[in-house]
Amino acid sequence: MNIVFQCPECGQGCQAAINSSGGDFSCAHCGARWEAPSDALDGDRLTHCLLCPSTDLFVRKDFPQRLGVAIVTIGILASCVAWGYREMYWTFGILFFTALLDVVLYIVVPMALMCYRCGAQYRGVVAQENHAAFNLETHERHRQQKARLEEHRVN
């Protein structure tokens, strides 16, 4: 299993490999170390986040959202240009190609497990289907909690 996370100590992006028996992992930039809790890993199954005590994890496609939006935007703009030149076949061809590309990417791209609280991304986790998809209510709860903690630190 691989974990990609933002180091709580230095704020840099890090990546680490975790084996099924747990162990520790560290930040490549500042050297901060964390011990993977023994109860967090059940074989390669993840029951809660390895960085923070959160049990709120969700499954999503391991694909950059900005790239997906860019592909759709380019498809729409290109079809609008073709429509402006009154090229019906090109217009619908571009739209159908964009939709086909979206379907192919949806099928091919694997899933990743994410932590609501710290944003850690886990790849190669077994039994991801035990975790739910993104829930806006849970996300908002963690976002507001983080904002309240930041506000408390400033005051």
Side-chain angles (χ1 to χ4, degrees), residues 40 46-50 52 54-59 113-118 120 122 125 130-134 138 142:
L46 193 64
T47 58
H48 64 270
C49 184
L50 300 178
C52 66
S54 178
T55 58
D56 292 329
L57 304 171
F58 68 96
V59 179
L113 196 59
M114 306 278 296
C115 177
Y116 282 104
R117 185 172 178 187
C118 68
Y122 298 93
V125 178
N130 293 345
H131 298 281
F134 180 79
T138 306
H142 284 282

Side-chain angles (χ1 to χ4, degrees), residues 2-15:
N2 292 321
I3 177 176
V4 177
F5 61 98
Q6 183 177 0
C7 177
E9 303 294 324
C10 68
Q12 297 291 320
C14 302
Q15 183 175 358

Side-chain angles (χ1 to χ4, degrees), residues 47-126:
T47 58
H48 64 270
C49 184
L50 300 178
L51 282 176
C52 66
S54 178
T55 58
D56 292 329
L57 304 171
F58 68 96
V59 179
R60 74 172 201 137
K61 285 290 186 179
D62 191 15
F63 189 77
Q65 290 177 338
R66 289 183 185 201
L67 180 58
V69 170
I71 290 170
V72 170
T73 303
I74 290 169
I76 290 171
L77 291 176
S79 69
C80 287
V81 169
W83 181 266
Y85 284 111
R86 300 193 194 290
E87 296 288 340
M88 283 297 223
Y89 293 116
W90 278 105
T91 300
F92 289 108
I94 291 168
L95 289 175
F96 287 132
F97 174 76
T98 304
L100 179 66
L101 181 62
D102 186 43
V103 169
V104 168
L105 287 173
Y106 182 79
I107 292 169
V108 171
V109 173
M111 301 299 272
L113 196 59
M114 306 278 296
C115 177
Y116 282 104
R117 185 172 178 187
C118 68
Q121 302 173 8
Y122 298 93
R123 294 176 177 92
V125 178
V126 175

Side-chain angles (χ1 to χ4, degrees), residues 20-37:
S20 60
S21 62
D24 60 344
F25 55 100
S26 63
C27 173
H29 304 284
C30 69
R33 300 186 74 75
W34 298 272
E35 180 73 29

